[in-house]
Amino acid sequence: MKIAEVTATFPPYRGGVGNVAYHNARLLAERGHQVTVITQPSPPEAELAEERFGVRRLTPLLRLGNAPWLKGLISSLKEFDLIHLHYPFIFGAEMSLWAAKRHNIPLLLTYHNRLIEKSGAKRLLFPLYNLLMEGRVVRLANARIAVSKDHFDALFEKVSCVEVPNGVDTRLFSPHDSLMARHSLGLPPHAPLVLFVGGLDAAHRFKNVPGLLRALSYFPQYHLAVVGRGELVPALRDLARHLNLMERIHFDDNCPTKRLPLYYSAADVTVLPSNRTESFGIVLAESMACGTPVIATNLPGVRDVVRHGKTGFIVPVNDDATLAAAIQWMISHRQERQEMGQQGRIHAARQYDWEVVGDKLELACRQAINGTHKAAALHAKVTMRK
């Protein structure tokens, strides 16, 4: 198959959708397919050296945040057997849909998340876009992938999809000795340690790190590692000072991916305290792959990754006291915590290893092409009868 992976962001830009697009391209190329990623430019010195698939970076005519209007996108898609669109992609989604109809090419849409913003002009623009365009693009795609069916079904009624979750490199994300990991990271060797990993820019306010800080303020002996970068860090430092937590919080705003397994292995528990729906929560799968249990909030998407009571806990949204109680239970029940970590490792390897994901992705691509061809043949047969 000749497959176009269309995505608004792509490495070296650090972001969830772009990273998934990268691995999707890699997995399909490794299975013998001819794959080309179509996206926006990156700094020349940051270009990826990738031999298995091509990367075509089109010139943006204008840009809304991370969403570029790519010059020539429609015409560049005519040579493919399948267009695989990573949504959301304002401008790119509409042009990919138009290209699919114009060139009679199946469009497979992977739905990652809904565009939501609570501040600035995007607070008004995103709801309008979602109302006018999101449902139309999703429904007019020939086939749909959801990184979480739980999340997708909560947003779209009576719209079919197949679930192909985000994946984890379970060879990279694997358990390390906790004491050695803490020593390597400069973390206290024996203090109870809670971990947060995620974006700390304005677009990721929903990660609700302030709620986690408030929960930690219940326990004067607990430490917290916050791994992530963004403009929210100064405000989080101010809140930590207000809560008298600064001596127990360790910020790392420049952590390469290869060092993340050390953080997961060093921690007693990883917490994702989001207060707005996100489609998956890759940090949960990464943490479980490293043998560390997790706590997440009861939201479509993330709640489906965690097996409550087996690999971690699901707690109510915006409930600092219950979150604090769940953290305390994890810290104070070492044997049960370790058993949860072991179960999490097994669960991550079975469900989220990239090789497992790759098999599901390839099947979804084939089904999108075959289903479209069958539908076209049936339509032609009916038309001839008329």
Side-chain angles (χ1 to χ4, degrees), residues 75-371:
S75 61
S76 70
L77 292 172
K78 64 182 179 181
E79 63 195 69
F80 294 96
D81 301 317
L82 178 70
I83 300 170
H84 182 197
L85 168 68
H86 291 267
Y87 185 93
F89 185 172
I90 295 177
F91 307 129
E94 293 75 31
M95 287 191 286
S96 294
L97 181 61
W98 176 251
K101 303 304 179 185
R102 180 177 178 179
H103 304 310
N104 194 28
I105 301 171
L107 175 65
L108 174 63
L109 180 148
T110 288
Y111 189 89
H112 291 269
N113 57 267
R114 171 168 284 176
L115 292 167
I116 299 176
E117 181 57 67
K118 293 188 176 182
S119 62
K122 293 179 183 178
R123 178 176 60 88
L124 302 175
L125 290 175
F126 282 174
L128 181 62
Y129 176 83
N130 293 335
L131 176 66
L132 296 177
M133 295 306 303
E134 181 188 58
R136 178 177 176 82
V137 172
V138 168
R139 287 176 171 83
L140 288 178
N142 297 96
R144 290 151 295 273
I145 287 173
V147 296
S148 167
K149 194 173 187 303
D150 179 39
H151 174 254
F152 187 88
D153 289 346
L155 298 176
F156 304 101
E157 293 184 0
K158 300 179 181 179
V159 181
S160 63
C161 72
V162 296
E163 185 176 69
V164 180
N166 294 338
V168 175
D169 182 349
T170 57
R171 289 168 295 182
L172 173 63
F173 289 92
S174 59
H176 293 65
D177 179 80
S178 178
L179 286 177
M180 290 181 62
R182 291 191 183 203
H183 176 75
S184 176
L185 296 168
L187 297 170
H190 301 296
L193 180 64
V194 179
L195 174 66
F196 170 86
V197 177
L200 297 175
D201 54 1
H204 291 87
R205 291 183 189 275
F206 66 91
K207 299 290 185 180
N208 190 29
V209 181
L212 178 56
L213 295 183
R214 292 191 295 269
L216 263 293
S217 68
Y218 286 79
F219 310 105
Q221 71 275 32
Y222 291 3
H223 284 241
L224 172 67
V226 177
V227 180
R229 66 174 65 182
E231 61 267 27
L232 301 181
V233 172
L236 292 174
R237 289 182 179 274
D238 289 341
L239 178 58
R241 292 188 190 95
H242 176 72
L243 296 173
N244 296 317
L245 296 174
M246 277 304 292
E247 292 184 0
R248 299 187 281 118
I249 295 188
H250 313 268
F251 287 93
D252 187 342
D253 64 356
N254 190 30
C255 178
T257 300
K258 64 182 180 181
R259 199 163 72 214
L260 277 175
L262 292 177
Y263 272 105
Y264 290 123
S265 297
D268 295 305
V269 60
T270 300
V271 180
L272 185 62
S274 304
N275 56 15
R276 194 191 76 214
T277 302
E278 55 179 316
S279 59
F280 189 78
I282 189 65
V283 300
L284 300 173
E286 290 174 349
S287 180
M288 289 189 295
C290 292
T292 299
V294 295
I295 298 173
T297 45
N298 188 21
L299 291 168
V302 293
R303 68 188 179 193
D304 206 40
V305 180
V306 184
R307 299 174 62 195
H308 181 69
K310 301 292 185 180
T311 65
F313 289 139
I314 299 295
V315 299
V317 179
N318 288 327
D319 188 335
D320 297 347
T322 303
L323 175 59
I327 293 172
Q328 184 184 38
W329 190 96
M330 282 287 189
I331 298 298
S332 59
H333 290 76
R334 180 178 180 180
Q335 181 175 344
E336 291 88 343
R337 182 178 75 238
Q338 291 177 339
E339 290 173 356
M340 282 187 175
Q342 293 168 1
Q343 289 299 313
R345 171 66 184 176
I346 294 171
H347 181 57
R350 288 177 176 173
Q351 297 295 322
Y352 305 124
D353 182 84
W354 274 121
E355 293 308 309
V356 176
V357 172
D359 292 340
K360 294 179 180 179
L361 173 65
E362 184 180 32
L363 179 60
C365 290
R366 292 190 183 281
Q367 289 176 337
I369 293 177
N370 294 337

Side-chain angles (χ1 to χ4, degrees), residues 18-45:
N19 288 336
V20 173
Y22 167 81
H23 284 289
N24 281 190
R26 175 183 64 81
L27 290 164
L28 290 169
E30 288 174 355
R31 284 159 173 76
H33 304 292
Q34 187 176 337
V35 182
T36 302
V37 176
I38 300 180
T39 188
Q40 60 182 306
S42 68
E45 66 274 11

